Amino acid sequence: MTKTSRKLFMLGAATAVLAQAAGADVLTGTVTDATGEAGLQGALVTIEELGRTTSADRFGTYRFANIPAGDYTLSISYVGADTVTDSVTVSGDTDFSIRLGGDVRYLDNILVVGSSAAQAGAITQQRASDALISVIDSDGLGNFPDTTVADSLARVAGLSIENDQGEGRYVSIRGINTDLISATINGVRTPSPEDRRGVLLDGVPSDLLDGIEVQKSLTPDVDADTIGGVINLKTISAFDRDGQFVRAKVEGSYNEIAEELSPKATLTYSNVFGDKLGIAASVNFQSLAIEAHNNEVGEWEFDDDLGAYYPNDDYEMRWYDLTRERLGLVFNVDYRATENTELYLRTLFNQYKDDEVRNKFEFRDLAEEGVSVDGNNYNFNFAEVDAEVRQREEERKIQTYALGGQTIAGAWTVDYEVSYAYAEEDDSNNHDVTFRSDDMDGDAIIVWDNSTPEKPRLTGAGVDFVYDPSTYEMDAFEQEFTVNEDTEWAYKLDLENESSIGSTPVTWKMGVKVRDREKVRDQNLLIWERDDVLMSDYITDNSRISGWRMNNPMFQWPSAGLTNALRGTFTDDELDEDGTNFDSLSEDYTIEEMILAGYGMGTFQFDNLTVVAGVRVEATDVTATGNIFFEEDDPENVEIRKYEDDYTHVLPSVNLKYNFSENLIGRAAYYASIVRPAFGEMRPTIALNDDRDEAELGNPALDPYEADNFDLSIEYYPTKLSVLSAGVFYKEISNPIFGANYDIDDVPGSVDLSLLPDTVEEVFTYVNGENATVKGIELNYVQQLDFIGDFWEGFLVSANVTIAESEASVPDEEDPLLTRDVPMLKQNDLIWNASIGYDRGPWDLRISANFRDDYLDELFGANIDRYTSDHLSVEASAKYDVNDNLQVFVEGKNLTDEPEYYYFGSENRLSQYDEYGARYVIGARLTY
């Protein structure tokens, strides 16, 4: 037995000794709406005489073990409903179920149907939790207020979204970037199809989900590899509602730039057979037309003689025309095998495919022959352009499967699960062809007007010259066949015991978990060169792009369709062997990661105070292999670099919850956590240029991020459907990771240079920085306005704001032996959301706004770091219930046509600017 295994065994044994013998009497039941059809998750059930409280699970089920026989008073509380009290006599195993709300039809029940119901469910679950969480809930019909997971998460206090092609893709919690947070589906860790740990969330439709939970303070029974928090996506279950349920949804969306109608459809079915077997399935398909207009700059530089910054690299315009297809499938089975054993199967399959054409018009090496500055104008003396088209089909898949169950024996509860998760990114159906113009030089032949920095205007003789297609010949034809795979098997066992220490109720819990993960990147490129191929032969009539939103003309030069005919026509003599070998061998790697975890914890109820305290131990074993390859070398000379490491972390946590009164709750939390290095950072690859004086290498010896996290908050629930909360948070982070360029003599000793030749003068790699901090405040307000008067019945307002500040020390690009202070990457200083809705009778209306401030996106150097500009998104929706079964709806997204803008240090220095246009949705939902 290894040292780590002995530690985990001793921890589990010590926790088991603390657990006391089970009592004979058990009180169980369900809390539902007035019809008995929908369980009310998060409902608080209290035995007044014992001062014991528990919350109902997702099916509305509650349970008390080890209860002395006798007569008791139960009180049941749920946001949006009056508190109910009742008497119960406990003797042996006692079942006592409760219904809340008025005596109304299911479809009229404000507790379970509509936006107000979803908000009530979310507030109730947040109030009931012993940890600090935020919840996005569906209503009793499984209706989500938003279309995608990212759209929904943008409304949560402290969360912001990073967009791609006009859609939310990555999620940040309290400004902590997506690589430092974790995502799960039904509690199963979601793998990443990219070379990072951050997970894409734009591919998962909300129609497949029943709810989303964001856990911001950890307890020991949760994987500790996160700093920002955990996002858990919960899919549907047949036991979420009583009996058969069928829902069909169809919609079409229209984008003002693409000018196409995009279809989307979802079909959901669930049923319960014989009160034991529940089957739920949902399938979703969407074909989304996207057109994006872009221009961008490679980098800027400060010139001492000019006394100004200028764009010293390239200027590109890009036109994207793509169809994004999503196919999602959920199939879940719940089986109540006996009165005390429940088994389940949870599956999710999601496929995301981009069929994309991208034309790029790139002014190359603008400053090669010199530059002058005149006010807002930059005058360049060189003109040469690459006209490029890329046609690709990129496919991403995410799959999760979990088989497990729960067995109850008296005061003991045993949970067990085996899971499999797989993600893949396949970029193997594509071609990329570049045609290069003749070059021209002369004084001020390109004049760059920077009066509108995000969309500069270029004029001059050089511009006229490069817009002549007859001057272009083929430079290269490329095809890529790259696959990223991420696989994880996990096994876990949890034991829970309800007991007491004197008169204090205690729930002991312990468990073990094994996670076995493998990340594989296999990059392959073929690069061909052919002389005397003219671009003019690959241009169609009417190739100018209509409605182009940048300030310089853009063409489909060359045509994706015409250049597609070049595939398969090249001979071996036309292959660029050096470029093909280098790009195909220099980035391949395999990383195997084994994590063995164990924990012990206790939940103590001291009258109005609940304490959850314990410790988690995570032991990590890593084996990584990668290629060492030199540009222009023989592929037979490729070497394999292997690296092995292991480390153990002991991670304590404590969560405190104090009920000052029925409506006022205070919380405090501390937890320790880690985040392992991103795969692209720790890959053990080494690549050298053809002169053998520059090297790029991953650093498998990186230490993981380590963080101490603190939270303090207060929550006030003044009326039935309202909450006012305020909180502060502080995170102290050790070993942050940054990329940096070094002269060979300045490379930190933690980087292994033993495999580099003596000719190397400059190295790019990844290093651990000094400590970083994040601190901030969160304010949240949700209020139903019916307390004002009858006119305001049905109105609901919500608003939240997060103000944060972060600081990290990174290697200075001018002198890597020195450091400079910057914000944490992707850290937003200000995030706010606001919405007003109306939910009464057949109408459900809402308008909302989401804002995020500028944030640091990428490090380039003091005054020229790349930032993402602030972004305000406005959306609106209207839903109308035609009858009990049919609802029609319309939605508007990005109504203000907000662009995405990135800049280098100052908003006057363009990095990237994209426009996507507004999108309008119309649809119908049929439910039985």
Side-chain angles (χ1 to χ4, degrees):
M1 180 180 287
T2 66
K3 183 177 180 181
T4 300
S5 299
R6 288 196 299 271
K7 287 182 182 178
L8 295 173
F9 177 80
M10 293 172 62
L11 175 64
T15 307
V17 169
L18 292 173
Q20 300 181 10
D25 297 332
V26 176
L27 173 63
T28 60
T30 56
V31 182
T32 66
D33 72 303
T35 68
E37 295 185 41
L40 300 180
Q41 181 177 0
L44 293 175
V45 183
T46 301
I47 303 176
E48 297 290 350
E49 289 80 0
L50 301 179
R52 291 182 59 178
T53 299
T54 191
S55 60
D57 64 15
R58 67 175 296 176
F59 306 126
T61 302
Y62 72 92
R63 186 175 187 274
F64 293 97
N66 202 19
I67 302 295
D71 296 329
Y72 297 99
T73 302
L74 287 186
S75 65
I76 303 92
S77 173
Y78 186 86
V79 171
D82 293 325
T83 299
V84 172
T85 60
D86 210 336
S87 299
V88 60
T89 299
V90 176
S91 178
D93 292 343
T94 303
D95 185 279
F96 189 79
S97 297
I98 307 103
R99 296 187 180 189
L100 299 181
D103 186 15
V104 296
R105 294 178 303 124
Y106 178 67
L107 289 170
D108 287 338
N109 195 331
I110 62 170
L111 291 184
V112 294
V113 178
S115 296
S116 295
Q119 188 68 68
I123 294 174
T124 298
Q125 293 171 53
Q126 291 166 197
R127 184 185 65 166
S129 175
D130 291 330
L132 185 62
I133 69 170
S134 296
V135 174
I136 306 165
D137 202 19
S138 64
D139 68 9
L141 293 177
N143 297 326
F144 242 76
D146 298 291
T147 303
T148 68
V149 170
D151 287 340
S152 294
L153 289 170
R155 308 188 192 290
V156 176
L159 270 67
S160 62
I161 306 300
E162 186 177 349
N163 293 322
D164 177 78
Q165 302 291 13
E167 294 192 303
R169 168 161 288 185
Y170 302 107
V171 178
S172 167
I173 301 178
R174 292 169 164 175
I176 303 295
N177 85 71
T178 190
D179 290 311
L180 305 183
I181 65 177
S182 61
T184 62
I185 299 174
N186 298 312
V188 177
R189 179 55 49 86
T190 308
S192 172
E194 301 178 303
D195 65 348
R196 57 193 301 182
R197 294 186 184 268
V199 177
L200 305 162
L201 289 176
D202 58 343
V204 181
S206 63
D207 291 325
L208 300 180
L209 305 180
D210 183 65
I212 306 173
E213 180 181 283
V214 181
Q215 186 166 345
K216 298 178 181 176
S217 68
L218 300 189
T219 50
D221 54 346
V222 176
D223 291 328
D225 52 348
T226 180
I227 294 176
V230 182
I231 298 171
N232 184 37
L233 312 180
K234 299 186 295 182
T235 59
I236 59 175
S237 168
F239 288 111
D240 289 333
R241 55 193 62 83
D242 189 39
Q244 179 174 280
F245 174 79
V246 180
R247 182 183 67 223
K249 178 182 175 183
V250 294
E251 68 178 56
S253 67
Y254 178 85
N255 178 267
E256 64 179 357
I257 297 182
E259 297 182 339
E260 291 184 38
L261 189 65
S262 301
K264 179 181 177 182
T266 306
L267 179 63
T268 302
Y269 170 83
S270 69
N271 205 351
V272 177
F273 302 92
D275 293 329
K276 282 197 167 188
L277 177 65
I279 296 177
S282 184
V283 61
N284 173 275
F285 174 79
Q286 182 183 33
S287 179
L288 184 67
I290 298 174
E291 183 175 329
H293 297 184
N294 155 288
N295 67 175
E296 56 188 74
V297 176
E299 63 182 52
W300 291 65
E301 181 179 325
F302 186 81
D303 187 281
D304 291 329
D305 294 332
L306 296 173
Y309 287 93
Y310 68 95
N312 72 328
D313 193 357
D314 56 79
Y315 168 73
E316 301 177 4
M317 294 182 295
R318 299 187 179 196
W319 174 74
Y320 294 88
D321 182 21
L322 64 117
T323 299
R324 178 166 291 170
E325 288 188 358
R326 295 182 175 97
L327 176 63
L329 175 65
V330 165
F331 181 75
N332 293 337
V333 178
D334 294 272
Y335 180 59
R336 294 176 174 172
T338 68
E339 185 175 320
N340 296 317
T341 296
E342 297 182 2
L343 305 175
Y344 60 81
L345 171 68
R346 303 269 185 265
T347 70
L348 181 141
F349 172 85
N350 190 72
Q351 179 177 281
Y352 168 108
K353 183 188 296 184
D354 273 355
D355 188 352
E356 177 184 281
V357 171
R358 185 204 69 191
N359 277 96
K360 181 172 74 171
F361 198 74
E362 177 184 348
F363 289 79
R364 304 182 67 250
D365 301 325
L366 283 166
E368 181 168 304
E369 298 295 333
V371 59
S372 61
V373 179
D374 181 13
N376 283 324
N377 290 346
Y378 303 98
N379 305 310
F380 298 101
N381 305 331
F382 180 75
E384 184 181 59
V385 163
D386 279 351
E388 175 188 337
V389 66
R390 178 177 175 86
Q391 185 177 43
R392 69 169 183 171
E393 187 178 272
E394 183 183 63
E395 187 175 286
R396 290 170 173 157
K397 295 178 182 177
I398 295 177
Q399 306 172 50
T400 63
Y401 306 90
L403 179 64
Q406 181 182 85
T407 297
I408 298 173
W412 285 93
T413 300
V414 184
D415 291 281
Y416 34 90
E417 181 182 89
V418 56
S419 63
Y420 171 79
Y422 176 77
E424 178 186 80
E425 181 181 65
D426 187 344
D427 194 5
S428 58
N429 182 11
N430 61 78
H431 77 268
D432 191 315
V433 58
T434 301
F435 289 83
R436 180 164 296 173
S437 73
D438 291 340
D439 62 66
M440 176 183 182
D441 59 79
D443 292 340
I445 59 172
I446 293 181
V447 178
W448 173 310
D449 182 355
N450 207 50
S451 300
T452 307
E454 64 272 18
K455 295 193 289 187
R457 186 182 302 276
L458 275 59
T459 57
V463 175
D464 297 336
F465 173 76
V466 298
Y467 275 110
D468 178 1
S470 66
T471 68
Y472 288 76
E473 291 188 9
M474 182 188 291
D475 182 64
F477 186 98
E478 300 180 10
Q479 285 188 271
E480 183 175 358
F481 308 89
T482 296
V483 176
N484 288 320
E485 295 180 297
D486 194 354
T487 306
E488 179 172 309
W489 284 92
Y491 316 86
K492 70 174 184 176
L493 175 68
D494 298 296
L495 303 176
E496 184 176 300
N497 176 266
E498 292 189 42
S499 63
S500 61
I501 298 177
S503 60
T504 301
V506 181
T507 300
W508 300 104
K509 191 174 182 181
M510 63 179 178
V512 293
K513 184 174 183 179
V514 178
R515 295 171 56 193
D516 187 1
R517 187 171 187 176
E518 182 183 61
K519 185 77 172 185
V520 178
R521 177 172 175 82
D522 182 16
Q523 177 171 298
N524 297 281
L525 275 83
L526 294 173
I527 304 172
W528 288 282
E529 296 176 347
R530 178 181 292 175
D531 296 331
D532 302 323
V533 180
L534 302 179
M535 187 176 73
S536 55
D537 294 331
Y538 294 90
I539 294 176
T540 61
D541 295 334
N542 302 317
S543 59
R544 183 164 181 163
I545 297 170
S546 63
W548 180 245
R549 293 187 168 199
M550 303 300 110
N551 281 334
N552 306 291
M554 183 66 183
F555 297 82
Q556 293 184 56
W557 287 357
S559 161
L562 294 179
T563 56
N564 187 67
L566 290 168
R567 294 193 188 189
T569 67
F570 292 89
T571 65
D572 292 343
D573 292 339
E574 295 172 310
L575 183 69
D576 175 5
E577 293 187 7
D578 290 335
T580 294
N581 292 334
F582 185 74
D583 288 342
S584 297
L585 294 172
S586 60
E587 294 190 23
D588 291 356
Y589 64 83
T590 297
I591 298 175
E592 297 176 350
E593 188 176 78
M594 177 73 75
I595 302 169
L596 177 61
Y599 72 90
M601 58 184 283
T603 301
F604 307 84
Q605 290 188 3
F606 303 99
D607 294 326
N608 293 324
L609 175 65
T610 301
V611 179
V612 182
V615 64
R616 184 178 185 90
V617 178
E618 292 198 353
T620 306
D621 195 318
V622 178
T623 301
T625 57
N627 288 350
I628 304 174
F629 191 70
F630 299 171
E631 191 173 4
E632 297 185 356
D633 202 355
D634 191 314
E636 293 184 359
N637 295 330
V638 66
E639 297 182 37
I640 303 298
R641 181 188 186 193
K642 185 174 182 179
Y643 183 87
E644 296 181 341
D645 193 15
D646 63 87
Y647 47 85
T648 300
H649 287 85
V650 179
L651 306 162
S653 68
V654 58
N655 283 261
L656 307 177
K657 175 183 175 182
Y658 189 82
N659 294 290
F660 293 98
S661 67
E662 182 179 355
N663 297 327
L664 186 63
I665 297 174
R667 299 181 187 270
Y670 162 78
Y671 69 92
S673 63
I674 64 169
V675 172
R676 298 166 183 89
F679 298 108
E681 298 167 345
M682 64 182 293
R683 57 186 166 86
T685 60
I686 300 177
L688 267 73
N689 67 342
D690 54 353
D691 292 331
R692 307 295 190 263
D693 60 352
E694 295 180 3
E696 179 177 339
L697 59 156
N699 185 2
L702 286 168
D703 292 324
Y705 292 79
E706 299 173 351
D708 291 310
N709 308 270
F710 303 86
D711 281 275
L712 185 66
S713 65
I714 191 80
E715 302 165 3
Y716 179 54
Y717 302 86
T719 60
K720 283 184 181 180
L721 187 54
S722 64
V723 60
L724 178 62
S725 63
V728 296
F729 57 88
Y730 177 79
K731 299 175 182 292
E732 179 139 359
I733 303 169
S734 302
N735 309 322
I737 297 171
F738 302 96
N741 276 299
Y742 292 93
D743 291 335
I744 188 67
D745 294 332
D746 297 333
V747 178
S750 59
V751 180
D752 182 8
L753 302 177
S754 62
L755 299 174
L756 297 182
D758 294 338
T759 57
V760 173
E761 299 175 359
E762 186 175 329
V763 172
F764 175 83
T765 188
Y766 298 90
V767 297
N768 290 113
E770 299 179 7
N771 290 355
T773 59
V774 180
K775 56 187 176 183
I777 63 172
E778 284 182 350
L779 305 174
N780 184 43
Y781 177 59
V782 178
Q783 178 71 65
Q784 195 172 45
L785 301 181
D786 56 357
F787 71 96
I788 300 177
D790 293 342
F791 172 80
W792 296 97
E793 187 174 349
F795 281 95
L796 180 72
V797 296
S798 65
N800 58 72
V801 61
T802 300
I803 303 171
E805 179 181 315
S806 67
E807 184 176 270
S809 294
V810 301
D812 190 286
E813 287 75 10
E814 297 297 324
D815 185 351
L817 296 180
L818 303 177
T819 61
R820 63 187 180 96
D821 292 336
V822 298
M824 288 283 287
L825 290 176
K826 314 289 187 180
Q827 173 70 48
N828 289 280
D829 290 340
L830 175 65
I831 305 166
W832 60 258
N833 300 276
S835 69
I836 181 167
Y838 177 79
D839 184 7
R840 186 180 183 188
W843 288 102
D844 190 344
L845 313 174
R846 186 182 63 185
I847 184 169
S848 62
N850 173 270
F851 176 83
R852 58 165 170 76
D853 204 358
D854 301 36
Y855 61 80
L856 177 62
D857 184 67
E858 190 174 352
L859 296 172
F860 282 86
N863 299 318
I864 55 170
D865 287 329
R866 173 173 147 128
Y867 280 80
T868 301
S869 186
D870 58 72
H871 189 272
L872 175 65
S873 176
V874 178
E875 301 181 355
S877 66
K879 304 173 185 177
Y880 180 79
D881 293 327
V882 178
N883 54 42
D884 285 352
N885 304 109
L886 178 62
Q887 182 188 82
V888 294
F889 58 88
V890 295
E891 298 175 358
K893 299 178 179 297
N894 193 26
L895 292 175
T896 57
D897 193 10
E898 186 82 356
E900 288 283 348
Y901 183 44
Y902 308 80
Y903 58 88
F904 287 112
S906 164
E907 291 190 350
N908 290 322
R909 298 195 284 269
L910 165 70
S911 171
Q912 180 179 330
Y913 177 83
D914 304 274
E915 292 194 14
Y916 307 104
R919 184 174 294 276
Y920 306 95
V921 180
I922 184 170
R925 181 186 290 117
L926 188 64
T927 306
Y928 285 97

